[in-house]
Structure formats: structure tokens, C-alpha cells
């Protein structure tokens, strides 16, 4: 025990004579309602083998929590390895209609599918037969356009194919971590499932 004490003595709460101090939880969390998740998976499944895309509605609860309560699909052009929204007019009209119905939610981010090839954000050329170099960076560019509207916008990637064979849906949420250099960003995985 003495060896353990010496090894971890400088860590709060583990050393001799140190007092336990409360540690502030600053972990960011993306909460996705069952309804929103089911809609994302249904939309993604309907689009297989093409990628699909939609907007996430909810609220920024506090500095660390984003709550997504609903989603809606968007018209887009997609291939088996990329998707891009092509109708900003549709997005604007949809949000206006939501306001008319009295829904208080705002756009907290976007989702898209990677049917059969996992949850990740394309931002550089990846090796392998599935990843098409001509499409590298589409996800990062899309996320950066959402961040221009709201710094805390979240990107969620779903895999509707692998979700069918797993005990829980395969999803991942990404938020901007830091700027590496001018014009470059790093995205960290928040909630892999």
C-alpha cells in the first residue's frame, strides 16, 4: 500500500494527508432523445446504400450539455461515400414552419449516415477501398459551416447498416476540439456507441 501511496501521492484524493476536493465535471455531453435517434436510423436505413443528411433540433442546456429532441431530413445530393445539402431554402422554410407551430427548439447540429463503413468524420484521405479521396473533407467542411452559425454545433454520424447487427445503434457525436493551425480544426469524439 505504501508503494501505491508513493506512486499516486500527488493525485487529488489518493495521497497521504491530501484532502478530497470536489472535481468539477466539464465533460461535454450530447443527449439524443429516443424519437430523434429512431428518426435518424429510419432515415439512414431508407437511404442505404446512399448517405443521407438531416438537421438536429434541441437546445444548448448549459455550457456542457446539448439536448437533441427531434430531427428532420433534408433534401440533398448523396452518393455511397458523401452527402451534401443542396437546398438552404428548404431548411429556412422548415424552421419557419416549426416556429409557427410553437416549437421552441433551435438547430443544434446536423446528422448524416455512413452506411456500412462506421462512424467518423471525413477530413483527410483515409486508406482503404471504402474511402474515396475525392470526397475527403466533406464532413469537416459541412461541420465548419454549421459552426459559423453556432460555435457549439454538433455533428452526429450514424451507421444504419452496422446498427442492425449490433446490440445498440452505432452512432458517434463530434464537437470541435481546437484549432491546429490557420484553417485547420481537430474534432473530438464525444459519445461513441
Amino acid at each position: 500500500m505504501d508503494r501505491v501511496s508513493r506512486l499516486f501521492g500527488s493525485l487529488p484524493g489518493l495521497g497521504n494527508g491530501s484532502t478530497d476536493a470536489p472535481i468539477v465535471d466539464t465533460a461535454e455531453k450530447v443527449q439524443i432523445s429516443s424519437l430523434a435517434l429512431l428518426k435518424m436510423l429510419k432515415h439512414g436505413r431508407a437511404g442505404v446504400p446512399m448517405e443521407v443528411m438531416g438537421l438536429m433540433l434541441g437546445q444548448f442546456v448549459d455550457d456542457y450539455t446539448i439536448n437533441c429532441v427531434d430531427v428532420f431530413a433534408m433534401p440533398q445530393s448523396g452518393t455511397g461515400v458523401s452527402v451534401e445539402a443542396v437546398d438552404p431554402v428548404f431548411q429556412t422554410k422548415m424552421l419557419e414552419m416549426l416556429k409557427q407551430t410553437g416549437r421552441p427548439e433551435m438547430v443544434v447540429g446536423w446528422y448524416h449516415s455512413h452506411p456500412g463503413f462506421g462512424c467518423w468524420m471525413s477530413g483527410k484521405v483515409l486508406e482503404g477501398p471504402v474511402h474515396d479521396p475525392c470526397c475527403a473533407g466533406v464532413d469537416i467542411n459541412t461541420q465548419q459551416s454549421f459552426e459559423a452559425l453556432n460555435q457549439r454545433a454538433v455533428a452526429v454520424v450514424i451507421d444504419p447498416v452496422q446498427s442492425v447487427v449490433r446490440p445498440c445503434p452505432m452512432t458517434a457525436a463530434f464537437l470541435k476540439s481546437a484549432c491546429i493551425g490557420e484553417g485547420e480544426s481537430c474534432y473530438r469524439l464525444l459519445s461513441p456507441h
Side-chain angles (χ1 to χ4, degrees), residues 64-87:
Y64 309 107
T65 310
I66 299 170
N67 189 16
C68 171
V69 296
D70 204 352
V71 297
F72 69 87
M74 296 186 321
Q76 70 259 329
S77 63
T79 69
V81 292
S82 72
V83 66
E84 293 183 66
V86 295
D87 195 351

Side-chain angles (χ1 to χ4, degrees), residues 65-170:
T65 310
I66 299 170
N67 189 16
C68 171
V69 296
D70 204 352
V71 297
F72 69 87
M74 296 186 321
Q76 70 259 329
S77 63
T79 69
V81 292
S82 72
V83 66
E84 293 183 66
V86 295
D87 195 351
V89 174
F90 174 84
Q91 295 174 38
T92 304
K93 285 183 179 178
M94 184 69 179
L95 293 173
E96 286 172 5
M97 288 190 292
L98 285 169
K99 284 181 185 173
Q100 289 174 3
T101 62
R103 300 234 358 220
E105 296 88 13
M106 63 186 292
V107 174
V108 293
W110 64 291
Y111 71 92
H112 77 287
S113 64
H114 280 178
F117 50 95
C119 300
W120 50 277
M121 294 278 283
S122 66
K124 58 184 175 182
V125 178
L126 300 171
E127 300 295 323
V130 173
H131 308 294
D132 184 355
C134 74
C135 301
V138 172
D139 296 351
I140 299 296
N141 291 339
T142 302
Q143 177 61 8
Q144 287 173 340
S145 69
F146 275 91
E147 288 170 357
L149 301 172
N150 189 316
Q151 258 184 287
R152 295 191 59 212
V154 65
V156 171
V157 183
I158 61 167
D159 186 334
V161 174
Q162 292 184 30
S163 292
V164 172
V165 296
R166 294 171 54 97
C168 64
M170 189 166 183

